[in-house]
Amino acid sequence: MEDRQMDDDKKYQGIGGWLILVAIGVVLKPIVLLVKTLPIFVPIFIDDTWQQLTTAGSEYYHPMWAPLIIGEVTFNIGMLIASVALLYLFFTKHYRFPLLFILVSVVSLGVLPLDAWLTSFLFPDEPIFDPATVKELAQTAIVALIWIPYMLVSKRVRATFIEKRPIAADGLTEQSSVNTIG
């Protein structure tokens, strides 16, 4: 039984199968984040937009601008750091990759409606879920619905992400018996 498990692990070990799609996503994520966020946030701090939005008495002032912009910038920096960490964990085949991948997916899915709700205080006449927000939320939900279960049950994930995995008291590498998909 244990020999069969070891053969399965060797058969599925490595970046192949559906994991290639994950690799593409992990490589592209930091690039996409930079391409999408830099054009939005850099001008705010380079020109006088920040002052116009956050200075009481200014025509465009609202008390929510500063916390919203700071929160979004902080979140996006955190996501960039997490995506670079995912890149590193993926290519070093670290056992923590699936957990961080799931965590980043869940956080992304949760922050989108929160951000939309907070933005609604600035633009009360606009719908909370405008078409762009709905599209981004749907894309994030689809990614989460496909790849979170894959990370949890894939034989390839279980066999590939094994580096630096703690050793159990019996001397064997700890592995989940839940993983079943290749």
Side-chain angles (χ1 to χ4, degrees), residues 52-105:
Q52 289 180 15
L53 296 175
T54 60
T55 303
S58 167
E59 178 183 354
Y60 302 105
Y61 173 76
H62 191 286
M64 284 295 294
W65 272 122
L68 185 66
I69 292 170
I70 291 169
E72 286 189 2
V73 168
T74 303
F75 174 75
N76 281 295
I77 289 170
M79 290 304 287
L80 182 61
I81 292 167
S83 66
V84 170
L86 279 170
L87 197 58
Y88 171 77
L89 294 175
F90 185 87
F91 286 107
T92 59
K93 298 176 182 167
H94 196 283
Y95 81 102
R96 293 268 189 209
F97 171 79
L99 178 63
L100 184 60
F101 183 92
I102 291 168
L103 181 64
V104 167
S105 298

